[in-house]
Amino acid sequence: DIQLTQSPSFLSASVGDRVTITCRASQGITNYLAWYQQKPGKAPKLLISGASTLQSGVPSRFSGSGSETEFTLIISSLQPEDFATYYCQQLDSYPTFGQGTKVDIK
Amino acid sequence: QVQLQESGPGLVKPSETLSLTCTASGDSFISDNYFYNWIRQPAGKGLEWIGRIYPNGRTMYSPSLRSRVSMSVDMSKNQFSLKMNSVTAADTAVYFCARWSGYSDDGFDIWGQGTMVTVSS
C-alpha cells in the first residue's frame, strides 16, 4: 500500500504567518493527492484535489503543489479560522491518508 | 446539493457485528456517477479508509479490513450500508460516509457528520 508521511505533525503559528505542510508518498502518485481540513468534532472538508485544484469556496490563501512523491500545502496568511488539523490523501490506489498536521495557535 | 447522514447503534458488543447506514438527501440522491465510501477515525487519531461501493454494487475494501467488512446499497432508499463483523475495542471510532467521483484527481467532496461507535460489553 502507498504510505503518506506528513511533516510536521504539529506546528504552532500566529495569525498572519505563512504555513507550509509537506506530504511525502512512498511511491509516485502522479497528482492524485487531496488535502483536507478538519476541526474538532467535525467531518473533514476537502480543500484541494488533484494536488493543486482549489475547491469552490475555499479561500485563495490556500494553495497546493507537487507531483509524484512530494506535495505541499501552503496557507499564505494564517487566519483564526484556519487553526485545525490538515490531512493529505492519495487516490492512486485504494485511498490512504497522512497522519495529519495539527496547526495550533502560538 | 446532496447531504449524507450516518446512522446506527452507538454501542456494539465485542465479537458482534457493527451495522451502519448512510442516507443521501437533498437536491439529488445516490447517483450512478459517484462512489460512496466509509472512513473511520478513532478518538484523537487519524483517518482510515474502510472501503467503497458503486451504486451497481461493485465494492472495494481496505486490505486490512477486507476479511471483516461488507457493503451494500439500496437505491430505492437512497442508502448504502456498512457491516463489520467480529468487532473489538480497536474498532471504536467515529465512522464517516463520503462521496467520491471516481476520478483519482478528485477528493471526497461531501461527507456525513459522522457517527460514534463504541465497542464495549
Side-chain angles (χ1 to χ4, degrees):
Chain A
D1 47 328
I2 298 173
Q3 297 179 14
L4 298 177
T5 303
Q6 288 182 233
S7 59
S9 295
F10 178 87
L11 72 86
S12 197
S14 301
V15 173
D17 284 353
R18 178 182 175 91
V19 168
T20 301
I21 299 170
T22 297
C23 179
R24 289 188 172 86
S26 59
Q27 64 189 71
I29 56 171
T30 319
N31 69 330
Y32 301 151
L33 190 103
W35 288 98
Y36 298 84
Q37 175 193 67
Q38 187 180 31
K39 296 183 178 179
K42 300 293 187 182
K45 174 187 175 183
L46 178 63
L47 299 176
I48 289 170
S49 62
S52 60
T53 301
L54 202 64
Q55 297 303 292
S56 175
V58 175
S60 59
R61 62 181 179 272
F62 290 91
S63 64
S65 64
S67 66
E68 298 300 344
T69 61
E70 185 143 345
F71 301 86
T72 300
L73 173 69
I74 292 175
I75 310 172
S76 59
S77 178
L78 198 66
Q79 297 302 300
E81 60 269 30
D82 301 336
F83 291 98
T85 300
Y86 294 84
Y87 292 94
C88 57
Q89 177 202 35
Q90 66 79 21
L91 296 104
D92 182 70
S93 65
Y94 68 86
T96 54
F97 292 88
Q99 82 278 16
T101 296
K102 185 175 181 180
V103 178
D104 210 343
I105 301 172
K106 184 183 285 184
Chain B
Q1 108 158 14
V2 68
Q3 297 164 353
L4 300 176
Q5 176 72 57
E6 306 87 350
S7 60
L11 182 64
V12 182
K13 289 182 168 55
S15 80
E16 295 192 345
T17 297
L18 176 161
S19 296
L20 297 175
T21 296
C22 183
T23 303
S25 62
D27 291 343
S28 59
F29 300 95
I30 290 181
S31 164
D32 283 345
N33 296 326
Y34 290 94
F35 290 82
Y36 295 88
N37 297 265
W38 288 98
I39 305 100
R40 68 180 181 179
Q41 185 173 38
K45 296 189 177 180
L47 299 161
E48 180 183 20
W49 180 76
I50 299 169
R52 66 180 177 232
I53 188 165
Y54 197 66
N56 66 3
R58 183 159 56 104
T59 56
M60 182 178 185
Y61 303 132
S62 168
S64 64
L65 296 169
R66 183 179 295 146
S67 63
R68 297 195 293 127
V69 166
S70 64
M71 296 180 185
S72 60
V73 62
D74 186 337
M75 296 283 281
S76 68
K77 295 182 179 178
N78 296 301
Q79 291 178 340
F80 59 103
S81 299
L82 167 70
K83 290 189 186 296
M84 181 182 294
N85 61 34
S86 304
V87 297
T88 69
D91 297 311
T92 294
V94 176
Y95 286 75
F96 297 98
C97 55
R99 188 183 80 167
W100 178 53
S101 69
Y103 292 98
S104 294
D105 56 357
D106 276 346
F108 293 179
D109 64 338
I110 296 176
W111 293 64
Q113 65 186 32
T115 187
M116 179 69 203
V117 177
T118 301
V119 178
S120 175
S121 55

PDB file of all heavy atoms in Angstrom, chain A residues 1-24:
ATOM      1  N   ASP A   1       0.832  -1.185   0.000  1.00  0.00           N
ATOM      2  CA  ASP A   1       0.000   0.000   0.000  1.00  0.00           C
ATOM      3  C   ASP A   1       0.876   1.247   0.000  1.00  0.00           C
ATOM      4  O   ASP A   1       2.027   1.219   0.421  1.00  0.00           O
ATOM      5  CB  ASP A   1      -0.975   0.008   1.180  1.00  0.00           C
ATOM      6  CG  ASP A   1      -0.339  -0.327   2.514  1.00  0.00           C
ATOM      7  OD1 ASP A   1       0.644  -1.129   2.523  1.00  0.00           O
ATOM      8  OD2 ASP A   1      -0.806   0.189   3.534  1.00  0.00           O
ATOM      9  N   ILE A   2       0.300   2.345  -0.465  1.00  0.00           N
ATOM     10  CA  ILE A   2       1.020   3.604  -0.563  1.00  0.00           C
ATOM     11  C   ILE A   2       0.890   4.341   0.776  1.00  0.00           C
ATOM     12  O   ILE A   2      -0.218   4.601   1.242  1.00  0.00           O
ATOM     13  CB  ILE A   2       0.464   4.461  -1.706  1.00  0.00           C
ATOM     14  CG1 ILE A   2       0.656   3.738  -3.038  1.00  0.00           C
ATOM     15  CG2 ILE A   2       1.161   5.826  -1.734  1.00  0.00           C
ATOM     16  CD1 ILE A   2       0.006   4.422  -4.216  1.00  0.00           C
ATOM     17  N   GLN A   3       2.019   4.666   1.357  1.00  0.00           N
ATOM     18  CA  GLN A   3       2.017   5.376   2.635  1.00  0.00           C
ATOM     19  C   GLN A   3       2.315   6.858   2.410  1.00  0.00           C
ATOM     20  O   GLN A   3       3.132   7.213   1.551  1.00  0.00           O
ATOM     21  CB  GLN A   3       3.046   4.761   3.577  1.00  0.00           C
ATOM     22  CG  GLN A   3       2.717   3.315   3.925  1.00  0.00           C
ATOM     23  CD  GLN A   3       3.740   2.670   4.835  1.00  0.00           C
ATOM     24  OE1 GLN A   3       4.576   3.353   5.419  1.00  0.00           O
ATOM     25  NE2 GLN A   3       3.659   1.355   4.977  1.00  0.00           N
ATOM     26  N   LEU A   4       1.647   7.678   3.190  1.00  0.00           N
ATOM     27  CA  LEU A   4       1.844   9.126   3.145  1.00  0.00           C
ATOM     28  C   LEU A   4       2.393   9.588   4.484  1.00  0.00           C
ATOM     29  O   LEU A   4       1.868   9.216   5.542  1.00  0.00           O
ATOM     30  CB  LEU A   4       0.520   9.846   2.868  1.00  0.00           C
ATOM     31  CG  LEU A   4      -0.167   9.549   1.551  1.00  0.00           C
ATOM     32  CD1 LEU A   4      -1.496  10.296   1.462  1.00  0.00           C
ATOM     33  CD2 LEU A   4       0.716   9.921   0.376  1.00  0.00           C
ATOM     34  N   THR A   5       3.449  10.383   4.422  1.00  0.00           N
ATOM     35  CA  THR A   5       4.062  10.916   5.637  1.00  0.00           C
ATOM     36  C   THR A   5       3.998  12.434   5.601  1.00  0.00           C
ATOM     37  O   THR A   5       4.563  13.054   4.699  1.00  0.00           O
ATOM     38  CB  THR A   5       5.531  10.461   5.758  1.00  0.00           C
ATOM     39  OG1 THR A   5       5.585   9.033   5.725  1.00  0.00           O
ATOM     40  CG2 THR A   5       6.134  10.969   7.051  1.00  0.00           C
ATOM     41  N   GLN A   6       3.293  13.001   6.557  1.00  0.00           N
ATOM     42  CA  GLN A   6       3.175  14.450   6.640  1.00  0.00           C
ATOM     43  C   GLN A   6       4.217  15.009   7.613  1.00  0.00           C
ATOM     44  O   GLN A   6       4.563  14.386   8.614  1.00  0.00           O
ATOM     45  CB  GLN A   6       1.777  14.847   7.140  1.00  0.00           C
ATOM     46  CG  GLN A   6       0.681  14.623   6.143  1.00  0.00           C
ATOM     47  CD  GLN A   6      -0.670  15.069   6.649  1.00  0.00           C
ATOM     48  OE1 GLN A   6      -1.624  14.303   6.621  1.00  0.00           O
ATOM     49  NE2 GLN A   6      -0.789  16.322   7.101  1.00  0.00           N
ATOM     50  N   SER A   7       4.694  16.203   7.293  1.00  0.00           N
ATOM     51  CA  SER A   7       5.569  16.904   8.226  1.00  0.00           C
ATOM     52  C   SER A   7       5.294  18.397   8.168  1.00  0.00           C
ATOM     53  O   SER A   7       4.998  18.932   7.086  1.00  0.00           O
ATOM     54  CB  SER A   7       7.046  16.618   7.907  1.00  0.00           C
ATOM     55  OG  SER A   7       7.356  17.019   6.588  1.00  0.00           O
ATOM     56  N   PRO A   8       5.318  19.069   9.337  1.00  0.00           N
ATOM     57  CA  PRO A   8       5.464  18.424  10.637  1.00  0.00           C
ATOM     58  C   PRO A   8       4.145  17.778  11.083  1.00  0.00           C
ATOM     59  O   PRO A   8       3.127  17.957  10.430  1.00  0.00           O
ATOM     60  CB  PRO A   8       5.817  19.608  11.544  1.00  0.00           C
ATOM     61  CG  PRO A   8       5.056  20.755  10.938  1.00  0.00           C
ATOM     62  CD  PRO A   8       5.120  20.527   9.441  1.00  0.00           C
ATOM     63  N   SER A   9       4.165  17.065  12.184  1.00  0.00           N
ATOM     64  CA  SER A   9       2.925  16.519  12.748  1.00  0.00           C
ATOM     65  C   SER A   9       2.177  17.573  13.545  1.00  0.00           C
ATOM     66  O   SER A   9       0.965  17.501  13.725  1.00  0.00           O
ATOM     67  CB  SER A   9       3.246  15.335  13.662  1.00  0.00           C
ATOM     68  OG  SER A   9       3.791  14.279  12.907  1.00  0.00           O
ATOM     69  N   PHE A  10       2.931  18.561  14.015  1.00  0.00           N
ATOM     70  CA  PHE A  10       2.347  19.621  14.818  1.00  0.00           C
ATOM     71  C   PHE A  10       3.115  20.895  14.542  1.00  0.00           C
ATOM     72  O   PHE A  10       4.340  20.870  14.416  1.00  0.00           O
ATOM     73  CB  PHE A  10       2.447  19.265  16.311  1.00  0.00           C
ATOM     74  CG  PHE A  10       1.914  20.323  17.224  1.00  0.00           C
ATOM     75  CD1 PHE A  10       0.581  20.354  17.560  1.00  0.00           C
ATOM     76  CD2 PHE A  10       2.751  21.299  17.749  1.00  0.00           C
ATOM     77  CE1 PHE A  10       0.068  21.334  18.397  1.00  0.00           C
ATOM     78  CE2 PHE A  10       2.257  22.291  18.591  1.00  0.00           C
ATOM     79  CZ  PHE A  10       0.908  22.299  18.909  1.00  0.00           C
ATOM     80  N   LEU A  11       2.398  22.003  14.406  1.00  0.00           N
ATOM     81  CA  LEU A  11       3.093  23.274  14.290  1.00  0.00           C
ATOM     82  C   LEU A  11       2.304  24.361  15.000  1.00  0.00           C
ATOM     83  O   LEU A  11       1.067  24.349  15.029  1.00  0.00           O
ATOM     84  CB  LEU A  11       3.368  23.628  12.827  1.00  0.00           C
ATOM     85  CG  LEU A  11       2.238  24.056  11.903  1.00  0.00           C
ATOM     86  CD1 LEU A  11       1.991  25.562  12.026  1.00  0.00           C
ATOM     87  CD2 LEU A  11       2.605  23.742  10.463  1.00  0.00           C
ATOM     88  N   SER A  12       3.048  25.246  15.573  1.00  0.00           N
ATOM     89  CA  SER A  12       2.487  26.360  16.306  1.00  0.00           C
ATOM     90  C   SER A  12       2.749  27.621  15.489  1.00  0.00           C
ATOM     91  O   SER A  12       3.888  27.874  15.102  1.00  0.00           O
ATOM     92  CB  SER A  12       3.160  26.446  17.681  1.00  0.00           C
ATOM     93  OG  SER A  12       2.417  27.221  18.552  1.00  0.00           O
ATOM     94  N   ALA A  13       1.713  28.381  15.210  1.00  0.00           N
ATOM     95  CA  ALA A  13       1.869  29.556  14.354  1.00  0.00           C
ATOM     96  C   ALA A  13       0.950  30.680  14.812  1.00  0.00           C
ATOM     97  O   ALA A  13       0.013  30.462  15.591  1.00  0.00           O
ATOM     98  CB  ALA A  13       1.559  29.184  12.904  1.00  0.00           C
ATOM     99  N   SER A  14       1.229  31.864  14.301  1.00  0.00           N
ATOM    100  CA  SER A  14       0.447  33.052  14.649  1.00  0.00           C
ATOM    101  C   SER A  14      -0.388  33.504  13.467  1.00  0.00           C
ATOM    102  O   SER A  14      -0.065  33.181  12.310  1.00  0.00           O
ATOM    103  CB  SER A  14       1.381  34.183  15.069  1.00  0.00           C
ATOM    104  OG  SER A  14       2.167  33.827  16.177  1.00  0.00           O
ATOM    105  N   VAL A  15      -1.434  34.233  13.757  1.00  0.00           N
ATOM    106  CA  VAL A  15      -2.256  34.826  12.701  1.00  0.00           C
ATOM    107  C   VAL A  15      -1.353  35.678  11.808  1.00  0.00           C
ATOM    108  O   VAL A  15      -0.522  36.450  12.297  1.00  0.00           O
ATOM    109  CB  VAL A  15      -3.394  35.663  13.298  1.00  0.00           C
ATOM    110  CG1 VAL A  15      -4.134  36.425  12.200  1.00  0.00           C
ATOM    111  CG2 VAL A  15      -4.369  34.772  14.056  1.00  0.00           C
ATOM    112  N   GLY A  16      -1.509  35.470  10.502  1.00  0.00           N
ATOM    113  CA  GLY A  16      -0.701  36.194   9.537  1.00  0.00           C
ATOM    114  C   GLY A  16       0.518  35.428   9.057  1.00  0.00           C
ATOM    115  O   GLY A  16       1.120  35.801   8.047  1.00  0.00           O
ATOM    116  N   ASP A  17       0.889  34.369   9.753  1.00  0.00           N
ATOM    117  CA  ASP A  17       2.046  33.579   9.349  1.00  0.00           C
ATOM    118  C   ASP A  17       1.782  32.827   8.051  1.00  0.00           C
ATOM    119  O   ASP A  17       0.644  32.474   7.732  1.00  0.00           O
ATOM    120  CB  ASP A  17       2.406  32.545  10.428  1.00  0.00           C
ATOM    121  CG  ASP A  17       3.117  33.159  11.619  1.00  0.00           C
ATOM    122  OD1 ASP A  17       3.452  34.361  11.568  1.00  0.00           O
ATOM    123  OD2 ASP A  17       3.355  32.417  12.597  1.00  0.00           O
ATOM    124  N   ARG A  18       2.861  32.554   7.352  1.00  0.00           N
ATOM    125  CA  ARG A  18       2.821  31.647   6.190  1.00  0.00           C
ATOM    126  C   ARG A  18       3.129  30.257   6.722  1.00  0.00           C
ATOM    127  O   ARG A  18       4.125  30.054   7.416  1.00  0.00           O
ATOM    128  CB  ARG A  18       3.854  32.074   5.157  1.00  0.00           C
ATOM    129  CG  ARG A  18       3.939  31.174   3.927  1.00  0.00           C
ATOM    130  CD  ARG A  18       5.041  31.685   3.005  1.00  0.00           C
ATOM    131  NE  ARG A  18       5.286  30.842   1.860  1.00  0.00           N
ATOM    132  CZ  ARG A  18       4.690  30.988   0.683  1.00  0.00           C
ATOM    133  NH1 ARG A  18       3.782  31.952   0.514  1.00  0.00           N
ATOM    134  NH2 ARG A  18       4.987  30.188  -0.333  1.00  0.00           N
ATOM    135  N   VAL A  19       2.268  29.312   6.383  1.00  0.00           N
ATOM    136  CA  VAL A  19       2.389  27.952   6.903  1.00  0.00           C
ATOM    137  C   VAL A  19       2.574  26.989   5.741  1.00  0.00           C
ATOM    138  O   VAL A  19       1.855  27.059   4.735  1.00  0.00           O
ATOM    139  CB  VAL A  19       1.123  27.574   7.704  1.00  0.00           C
ATOM    140  CG1 VAL A  19       1.080  26.081   8.009  1.00  0.00           C
ATOM    141  CG2 VAL A  19       1.065  28.382   9.005  1.00  0.00           C
ATOM    142  N   THR A  20       3.542  26.089   5.890  1.00  0.00           N
ATOM    143  CA  THR A  20       3.820  25.086   4.864  1.00  0.00           C
ATOM    144  C   THR A  20       3.753  23.699   5.473  1.00  0.00           C
ATOM    145  O   THR A  20       4.416  23.428   6.482  1.00  0.00           O
ATOM    146  CB  THR A  20       5.200  25.304   4.237  1.00  0.00           C
ATOM    147  OG1 THR A  20       5.256  26.614   3.652  1.00  0.00           O
ATOM    148  CG2 THR A  20       5.481  24.260   3.160  1.00  0.00           C
ATOM    149  N   ILE A  21       2.963  22.831   4.873  1.00  0.00           N
ATOM    150  CA  ILE A  21       2.837  21.440   5.292  1.00  0.00           C
ATOM    151  C   ILE A  21       3.244  20.553   4.116  1.00  0.00           C
ATOM    152  O   ILE A  21       2.808  20.780   2.983  1.00  0.00           O
ATOM    153  CB  ILE A  21       1.389  21.120   5.725  1.00  0.00           C
ATOM    154  CG1 ILE A  21       0.980  22.006   6.916  1.00  0.00           C
ATOM    155  CG2 ILE A  21       1.249  19.641   6.082  1.00  0.00           C
ATOM    156  CD1 ILE A  21      -0.498  21.927   7.252  1.00  0.00           C
ATOM    157  N   THR A  22       4.071  19.563   4.403  1.00  0.00           N
ATOM    158  CA  THR A  22       4.566  18.676   3.357  1.00  0.00           C
ATOM    159  C   THR A  22       3.964  17.284   3.511  1.00  0.00           C
ATOM    160  O   THR A  22       3.737  16.803   4.635  1.00  0.00           O
ATOM    161  CB  THR A  22       6.100  18.580   3.424  1.00  0.00           C
ATOM    162  OG1 THR A  22       6.648  19.867   3.180  1.00  0.00           O
ATOM    163  CG2 THR A  22       6.639  17.597   2.405  1.00  0.00           C
ATOM    164  N   CYS A  23       3.707  16.653   2.394  1.00  0.00           N
ATOM    165  CA  CYS A  23       3.193  15.284   2.366  1.00  0.00           C
ATOM    166  C   CYS A  23       4.052  14.497   1.384  1.00  0.00           C
ATOM    167  O   CYS A  23       4.155  14.871   0.204  1.00  0.00           O
ATOM    168  CB  CYS A  23       1.737  15.304   1.923  1.00  0.00           C
ATOM    169  SG  CYS A  23       0.944  13.685   1.795  1.00  0.00           S
ATOM    170  N   ARG A  24       4.672  13.426   1.857  1.00  0.00           N
ATOM    171  CA  ARG A  24       5.522  12.601   1.009  1.00  0.00           C
ATOM    172  C   ARG A  24       4.894  11.224   0.830  1.00  0.00           C
ATOM    173  O   ARG A  24       4.473  10.598   1.802  1.00  0.00           O
ATOM    174  CB  ARG A  24       6.920  12.483   1.601  1.00  0.00           C
ATOM    175  CG  ARG A  24       7.726  13.763   1.525  1.00  0.00           C
ATOM    176  CD  ARG A  24       9.178  13.581   1.928  1.00  0.00           C
ATOM    177  NE  ARG A  24       9.955  14.788   1.662  1.00  0.00           N
ATOM    178  CZ  ARG A  24      10.070  15.815   2.482  1.00  0.00           C
ATOM    179  NH1 ARG A  24       9.442  15.791   3.663  1.00  0.00           N
ATOM    180  NH2 ARG A  24      10.785  16.876   2.168  1.00  0.00           N
TER     181      ARG A  24
END
